[in-house]
Amino acid sequence: MSFKPSRGLLIKNNMEYLDKIDLLKLPKHVAIIMDGNGRWAKEKGKLRMFGHSNGVTSVRDVVEGADKAGIKYITLYTFSSENWNRPKLEVMAIMELMVSTIAKEIAGFMKNNIKLNAIGDLDKLPAKCLKELTAAMQKTSQNTGVVLTLALSYGSRREILHAVKSIAAQVKSGEIEIEDINEDVFEHNLFTNDMPHPELLIRTGGEYRISNYLLWQIAYAELYFTPKLWPDFRKEDLYEALLDYQKRERRFGMTSEQVN
Ligand code: FPP
């Protein structure tokens, strides 16, 4: 017999998790690689898109959970630059899902003060998708709560190359000198220039790799891998990851004694 917790119990568990989390040791920014949608659908004898659509429920739940816990930035690997190589039908269906999800969620973003943001080669997105996304970003631009960033048509190597080219152009035009180039200047030219580095990177779906995601930005992030497939991931799983993160000693190259 399977046990399905009642809503009341779930909420109680959330509170218990939230009680255990040290609010002074929260990451400001959590990045997530949402993996496992296709396998989740296959396990159920359904098409891959069934997994992606159910993945949206996880997105909503996790963003709500992050908001409750007090996390300011959530960045989701929603579509990588390599994902364009998937079967055309799947790519088109994901883009459609994006359009319908943004249209459906915008009221919730406004109600919950969520600011929608996007990073990646956005001009590669189908016009309809770009239009919906830009309108939602514009509409939520004054919101001051959680910043929800969708990495779309995103690849970290491309982002780094983009930054290199942009800095080279600034040198060429005389705007800056080669000697002026430092980590701050470089970061300023990344798509993520207006947010802090993620302190925690979560990957669902049981694979142990980074898949060209935020390579510069995660230099000192704590990595958390879970076998859970993305459509099964909920805020309680985010809280488990936060508790795990809070047990880690972040040394940044120093000794344990120095940090303590
Ligand atoms: C990876 O699982 C998932 C994706 C490439 C798509 C993720 C997109 C969503 C969850 C939709 C979210 C939409 C919005 C607007 C936030 P996979 O297909 O690689 O799974 P597999 O490894 O099991 O094949």
Coordinates of all heavy atoms in Angstrom, one line a residue, residues 111-161:
K111 N 2.2 38.2 -8.7 CA 1.6 38.1 -7.3 C 2.7 37.8 -6.3 O 2.7 38.3 -5.2 CB 0.6 36.9 -7.4 CG -0.1 36.7 -6.1 CD -1.3 35.7 -6.3 CE -1.7 35.2 -4.9 NZ -1.3 33.8 -4.7
N112 N 3.7 37.0 -6.7 CA 4.8 36.7 -5.8 C 6.0 37.5 -5.9 O 7.1 37.1 -5.4 CB 5.1 35.2 -6.0 CG 3.9 34.3 -5.6 OD1 3.4 34.4 -4.5 ND2 3.4 33.5 -6.6
N113 N 6.0 38.6 -6.7 CA 7.1 39.5 -6.7 C 8.3 38.9 -7.4 O 9.4 39.3 -7.0 CB 7.3 40.0 -5.3 CG 8.1 41.3 -5.3 OD1 8.2 42.0 -6.3 ND2 8.8 41.6 -4.2
I114 N 8.1 38.0 -8.3 CA 9.3 37.3 -8.9 C 9.7 38.0 -10.2 O 8.9 38.4 -11.0 CB 8.9 35.8 -9.3 CG1 8.6 35.0 -8.0 CG2 10.0 35.1 -10.1 CD1 8.0 33.7 -8.2
K115 N 11.0 38.2 -10.3 CA 11.6 38.9 -11.4 C 12.1 37.8 -12.4 O 13.0 37.0 -12.0 CB 12.7 39.8 -11.0 CG 13.3 40.5 -12.1 CD 14.3 41.5 -11.5 CE 15.1 42.2 -12.6 NZ 15.9 43.3 -12.1
L116 N 11.6 37.8 -13.6 CA 12.0 36.8 -14.6 C 13.2 37.4 -15.4 O 13.2 38.5 -15.8 CB 10.9 36.4 -15.6 CG 11.2 35.3 -16.5 CD1 11.4 34.0 -15.8 CD2 10.1 35.2 -17.6
N117 N 14.2 36.5 -15.6 CA 15.4 36.9 -16.3 C 15.8 35.8 -17.2 O 15.4 34.7 -17.0 CB 16.5 37.2 -15.2 CG 17.8 37.7 -15.7 OD1 17.8 38.4 -16.7 ND2 18.8 37.4 -14.9
A118 N 16.7 36.1 -18.2 CA 17.1 35.0 -19.1 C 18.5 35.2 -19.5 O 19.0 36.4 -19.7 CB 16.2 34.9 -20.3
I119 N 19.3 34.2 -19.7 CA 20.7 34.3 -20.2 C 20.9 33.3 -21.3 O 20.2 32.2 -21.3 CB 21.8 34.0 -19.1 CG1 21.5 32.7 -18.3 CG2 21.8 35.2 -18.1 CD1 22.6 32.3 -17.4
G120 N 21.7 33.6 -22.3 CA 22.0 32.7 -23.4 C 21.9 33.4 -24.7 O 21.7 34.6 -24.7
D121 N 22.0 32.6 -25.8 CA 21.9 33.2 -27.1 C 20.4 33.4 -27.4 O 19.8 32.6 -28.2 CB 22.5 32.3 -28.2 CG 24.0 32.4 -28.1 OD1 24.5 33.4 -27.7 OD2 24.7 31.4 -28.5
L122 N 19.8 34.4 -26.8 CA 18.3 34.5 -26.9 C 17.8 34.7 -28.3 O 16.7 34.4 -28.6 CB 17.8 35.6 -25.9 CG 18.2 35.4 -24.4 CD1 17.6 36.5 -23.6 CD2 17.8 34.0 -23.9
D123 N 18.6 35.4 -29.1 CA 18.2 35.7 -30.5 C 18.0 34.4 -31.3 O 17.5 34.5 -32.4 CB 19.1 36.7 -31.2 CG 20.5 36.4 -31.0 OD1 20.8 35.4 -30.5 OD2 21.4 37.3 -31.4
K124 N 18.5 33.3 -30.8 CA 18.3 32.0 -31.5 C 16.9 31.4 -31.3 O 16.5 30.5 -31.9 CB 19.3 31.0 -31.1 CG 20.7 31.2 -31.5 CD 21.4 29.9 -32.0 CE 22.7 30.2 -32.8 NZ 23.8 30.3 -31.8
L125 N 16.2 31.9 -30.3 CA 14.9 31.4 -29.9 C 13.9 31.8 -31.0 O 14.0 32.8 -31.6 CB 14.4 32.0 -28.6 CG 15.3 31.7 -27.4 CD1 14.8 32.5 -26.2 CD2 15.2 30.2 -27.0
P126 N 12.9 30.9 -31.2 CA 11.8 31.3 -32.2 C 11.2 32.6 -31.8 O 11.1 32.9 -30.6 CB 10.8 30.1 -32.0 CG 11.5 29.0 -31.3 CD 12.6 29.6 -30.6
A127 N 10.8 33.4 -32.8 CA 10.3 34.7 -32.5 C 9.2 34.8 -31.5 O 9.2 35.6 -30.6 CB 9.8 35.3 -33.8
K128 N 8.3 33.8 -31.5 CA 7.1 33.8 -30.6 C 7.6 33.6 -29.1 O 7.1 34.2 -28.2 CB 6.2 32.6 -31.0 CG 4.8 32.6 -30.5 CD 4.0 31.5 -31.2 CE 3.0 31.0 -30.3 NZ 2.5 29.7 -30.7
C129 N 8.6 32.8 -29.0 CA 9.2 32.5 -27.7 C 9.9 33.7 -27.1 O 9.7 34.1 -26.0 CB 10.1 31.3 -27.8 SG 10.7 30.6 -26.3
L130 N 10.7 34.3 -28.0 CA 11.5 35.5 -27.6 C 10.5 36.6 -27.2 O 10.7 37.3 -26.2 CB 12.4 35.9 -28.7 CG 13.3 37.1 -28.4 CD1 14.2 36.7 -27.2 CD2 14.2 37.4 -29.6
K131 N 9.4 36.7 -28.0 CA 8.4 37.8 -27.7 C 7.8 37.6 -26.3 O 7.7 38.5 -25.5 CB 7.4 37.8 -28.8 CG 6.5 39.0 -28.8 CD 5.6 39.0 -30.1 CE 4.5 40.0 -29.8 NZ 3.2 39.5 -30.4
E132 N 7.3 36.4 -26.0 CA 6.7 36.1 -24.8 C 7.7 36.3 -23.6 O 7.3 36.9 -22.6 CB 6.3 34.6 -24.8 CG 5.2 34.2 -23.8 CD 3.9 34.8 -24.0 OE1 3.4 34.8 -25.2 OE2 3.3 35.3 -23.1
L133 N 8.9 35.8 -23.8 CA 9.9 36.0 -22.8 C 10.2 37.4 -22.5 O 10.3 37.9 -21.3 CB 11.2 35.2 -23.3 CG 12.4 35.2 -22.3 CD1 12.1 34.3 -21.1 CD2 13.6 34.6 -23.1
T134 N 10.5 38.2 -23.6 CA 10.8 39.6 -23.4 C 9.7 40.4 -22.7 O 10.0 41.2 -21.8 CB 11.1 40.3 -24.8 OG1 11.9 39.3 -25.5 CG2 11.9 41.6 -24.7
A135 N 8.5 40.1 -23.1 CA 7.3 40.8 -22.5 C 7.3 40.4 -21.0 O 7.0 41.3 -20.2 CB 6.0 40.3 -23.2
A136 N 7.5 39.2 -20.6 CA 7.4 38.8 -19.2 C 8.6 39.4 -18.4 O 8.4 39.8 -17.3 CB 7.5 37.2 -19.1
M137 N 9.8 39.5 -19.1 CA 10.9 40.1 -18.4 C 10.6 41.6 -18.1 O 10.9 42.1 -17.1 CB 12.2 39.9 -19.2 CG 12.6 38.4 -19.2 SD 14.4 38.2 -19.6 CE 14.5 39.0 -21.2
Q138 N 10.1 42.2 -19.1 CA 9.7 43.6 -19.0 C 8.7 43.8 -17.9 O 8.9 44.7 -17.0 CB 9.2 44.1 -20.4 CG 8.7 45.5 -20.5 CD 9.9 46.4 -20.3 OE1 11.0 46.1 -20.7 NE2 9.7 47.6 -19.6
K139 N 7.6 43.0 -17.9 CA 6.6 43.2 -17.0 C 7.0 42.9 -15.5 O 6.5 43.6 -14.6 CB 5.4 42.2 -17.3 CG 4.2 42.3 -16.5 CD 2.9 42.0 -17.2 CE 1.8 42.5 -16.4 NZ 0.6 41.7 -16.5
T140 N 8.0 42.0 -15.3 CA 8.4 41.7 -14.0 C 9.7 42.5 -13.6 O 10.2 42.2 -12.5 CB 8.7 40.2 -13.9 OG1 9.8 39.8 -14.8 CG2 7.5 39.3 -14.2
S141 N 10.1 43.3 -14.4 CA 11.4 44.0 -14.2 C 11.5 44.8 -12.9 O 12.6 44.9 -12.4 CB 11.8 44.8 -15.4 OG 10.9 45.9 -15.5
Q142 N 10.4 45.3 -12.4 CA 10.5 46.1 -11.2 C 10.2 45.2 -9.9 O 10.3 45.7 -8.8 CB 9.4 47.2 -11.2 CG 9.6 48.2 -12.4 CD 11.0 48.8 -12.5 OE1 11.5 49.2 -11.5 NE2 11.6 48.7 -13.6
N143 N 10.0 43.9 -10.1 CA 9.7 43.0 -9.0 C 11.0 42.9 -8.2 O 12.1 42.9 -8.7 CB 9.2 41.7 -9.4 CG 7.8 41.8 -9.9 OD1 7.1 42.8 -9.8 ND2 7.2 40.7 -10.5
T144 N 10.9 42.8 -6.9 CA 12.1 42.8 -6.0 C 12.3 41.5 -5.2 O 13.2 41.4 -4.4 CB 11.9 44.0 -5.0 OG1 10.7 43.8 -4.3 CG2 11.9 45.3 -5.6
G145 N 11.5 40.5 -5.5 CA 11.7 39.2 -4.8 C 12.7 38.3 -5.5 O 13.7 38.8 -6.0
V146 N 12.4 37.0 -5.6 CA 13.3 36.1 -6.2 C 13.6 36.5 -7.7 O 12.7 36.8 -8.4 CB 12.7 34.7 -6.2 CG1 13.5 33.7 -7.0 CG2 12.5 34.2 -4.8
V147 N 14.8 36.3 -8.0 CA 15.2 36.5 -9.5 C 15.3 35.1 -10.1 O 16.2 34.4 -9.7 CB 16.5 37.3 -9.6 CG1 16.9 37.5 -11.1 CG2 16.5 38.7 -8.9
L148 N 14.4 34.9 -11.0 CA 14.4 33.5 -11.6 C 15.0 33.7 -13.0 O 14.4 34.3 -13.9 CB 12.9 33.0 -11.7 CG 12.7 31.8 -12.6 CD1 13.4 30.6 -12.0 CD2 11.2 31.5 -12.7
T149 N 16.1 33.1 -13.2 CA 16.8 33.2 -14.4 C 16.7 31.9 -15.2 O 17.1 30.8 -14.7 CB 18.3 33.6 -14.2 OG1 18.4 34.8 -13.5 CG2 19.1 33.7 -15.6
L150 N 16.3 32.0 -16.4 CA 16.2 30.8 -17.3 C 17.4 30.8 -18.2 O 17.6 31.8 -18.9 CB 14.9 30.8 -18.2 CG 13.6 30.9 -17.4 CD1 12.4 30.9 -18.4 CD2 13.5 29.8 -16.4
A151 N 18.3 29.8 -18.2 CA 19.4 29.7 -19.1 C 18.8 29.0 -20.4 O 18.4 27.9 -20.3 CB 20.5 28.9 -18.5
L152 N 18.7 29.8 -21.4 CA 18.0 29.4 -22.6 C 19.0 29.5 -23.8 O 19.5 30.6 -24.1 CB 16.8 30.3 -22.9 CG 15.6 30.0 -22.0 CD1 14.6 31.1 -22.2 CD2 15.0 28.7 -22.4
S153 N 19.1 28.4 -24.6 CA 20.1 28.4 -25.7 C 21.4 28.8 -25.1 O 22.1 29.7 -25.6 CB 19.6 29.4 -26.8 OG 20.5 29.2 -27.9
Y154 N 21.7 28.3 -23.9 CA 22.8 28.7 -23.1 C 24.0 27.7 -23.2 O 23.7 26.5 -23.1 CB 22.5 28.9 -21.6 CG 23.7 29.3 -20.8 CD1 24.1 30.6 -20.6 CD2 24.4 28.2 -20.2 CE1 25.2 30.9 -19.9 CE2 25.5 28.5 -19.4 CZ 25.9 29.8 -19.3 OH 27.1 30.1 -18.5
G155 N 25.2 28.2 -23.4 CA 26.4 27.3 -23.3 C 27.5 28.2 -22.6 O 27.7 29.3 -23.1
S156 N 28.1 27.6 -21.6 CA 29.1 28.5 -20.9 C 30.3 28.8 -21.8 O 30.8 30.0 -21.7 CB 29.6 27.7 -19.7 OG 30.3 28.5 -18.9
R157 N 30.8 27.9 -22.6 CA 31.9 28.2 -23.5 C 31.6 29.4 -24.4 O 32.4 30.3 -24.6 CB 32.3 27.0 -24.3 CG 33.0 26.0 -23.4 CD 33.4 24.8 -24.3 NE 34.1 23.8 -23.5 CZ 34.4 22.6 -24.0 NH1 34.1 22.3 -25.2 NH2 35.0 21.7 -23.2
R158 N 30.4 29.4 -24.9 CA 29.9 30.5 -25.8 C 29.9 31.8 -25.0 O 30.2 32.8 -25.6 CB 28.6 30.1 -26.4 CG 28.6 29.0 -27.4 CD 27.2 28.7 -27.8 NE 26.7 29.6 -28.8 CZ 26.7 29.3 -30.1 NH1 27.1 28.2 -30.5 NH2 26.3 30.2 -30.9
E159 N 29.4 31.7 -23.8 CA 29.3 32.9 -23.0 C 30.7 33.5 -22.7 O 30.9 34.7 -22.8 CB 28.6 32.5 -21.6 CG 28.5 33.7 -20.7 CD 28.0 33.4 -19.3 OE1 28.2 32.2 -18.9 OE2 27.4 34.2 -18.7
I160 N 31.6 32.6 -22.5 CA 33.0 33.0 -22.2 C 33.6 33.6 -23.5 O 34.2 34.7 -23.4 CB 33.8 31.9 -21.6 CG1 33.4 31.6 -20.2 CG2 35.3 32.2 -21.7 CD1 34.0 30.3 -19.6
L161 N 33.4 33.0 -24.6 CA 33.9 33.5 -25.9 C 33.3 34.9 -26.2 O 33.9 35.8 -26.6 CB 33.5 32.6 -27.0 CG 34.5 31.5 -27.4 CD1 34.0 30.7 -28.5 CD2 35.9 32.1 -27.7

